[in-house]
Amino acid sequence: MSDKEVLLTPDGLKKLEEELENLKSVKRREVAERIKIAIGYGDISENSEYEDAKNEQAFIEGRIITLEKMLRNARIINNEEIDLETVSIGSTVIVEDVEFGDTMEYTIVGTAESDPGQNKISNESPVGKAMIGKKKGTIVEVSVPAGIIQYKIVDIKK
């Protein structure tokens, strides 16, 4: 991962900090205990519990490094920075599918926070990228595998 700026909302920052704290204080101890128990079983060359614990340990340490780098390069998007005239990171956007009339609500976030299941989409995703900088009433076109979807920006909120 490069040292590029990581854009986060205050909520996103809090979640990353909590995940980092949990990995450092809880998960590290749990996996160290699993390794100790697995070593107690004897020959580690053919010990699957030991292998699993070592793999989990490597994953945890890698995630800690990634989170620390993200937090070091974080720029927090505060509510005051969110413009209600144009879509930006931190905006909650209500859009209408021009063809079908379905209405959806998305919050535009940095890639580190994106969670499509929670309707938090990245500013670098096709839909997010198409909406950034646009105003209410604008129709944006998004290329998807099935073709092009047109969304009308109905409202922009904080």
Side-chain angles (χ1 to χ4, degrees):
M1 178 188 274
S2 67
D3 283 356
K4 83 174 198 176
E5 186 174 66
V6 178
L7 301 171
L8 294 170
T9 61
D11 188 40
L13 174 69
K14 183 174 176 252
K15 283 188 173 121
L16 290 181
E17 288 173 337
E18 286 170 357
E19 180 184 354
L20 180 61
E21 182 57 35
N22 181 50
L23 288 173
K24 284 179 158 182
S25 62
V26 178
K27 293 293 184 187
R28 260 185 181 160
R29 254 188 251 127
E30 285 175 359
V31 80
E33 188 60 31
R34 281 183 52 210
I35 289 170
K36 199 164 91 180
I37 290 168
I39 289 172
Y41 294 145
D43 182 14
I44 61 172
S45 64
E46 293 181 20
N47 185 328
S48 64
E49 287 90 358
Y50 178 77
E51 276 304 307
D52 288 347
K54 289 301 281 182
N55 288 338
E56 185 179 352
Q57 183 182 45
F59 173 80
I60 289 170
E61 294 306 319
R63 183 68 179 150
I64 287 171
I65 291 167
T66 300
L67 289 172
E68 286 175 339
K69 186 178 275 190
M70 289 168 75
L71 292 170
R72 247 193 330 273
N73 296 312
R75 182 166 80 79
I76 310 309
I77 307 297
N78 293 311
N79 267 348
E80 300 79 58
E81 293 180 64
I82 299 170
D83 181 2
L84 294 176
E85 296 300 310
T86 59
V87 177
S88 61
I89 293 180
S91 297
T92 297
V93 186
I94 298 170
V95 295
E96 181 182 314
D97 183 312
V98 173
E99 185 179 352
F100 298 106
D102 298 335
T103 303
M104 288 150 286
E105 186 173 301
Y106 295 113
T107 301
I108 311 297
V109 295
T111 54
E113 268 184 86
S114 72
D115 182 353
Q118 298 289 314
N119 288 346
K120 291 182 176 188
I121 59 172
S122 162
N123 61 316
E124 295 177 19
S125 71
V127 174
K129 202 179 283 187
M131 287 195 267
I132 291 284
K134 303 295 190 297
K135 297 185 178 312
K136 281 183 210 170
T138 304
I139 293 179
V140 297
E141 292 188 346
V142 182
S143 283
V144 295
I148 293 181
I149 297 176
Q150 291 185 321
Y151 289 122
K152 179 178 182 183
I153 299 174
V154 178
D155 198 9
I156 301 169
K157 308 185 294 187
K158 288 187 180 185

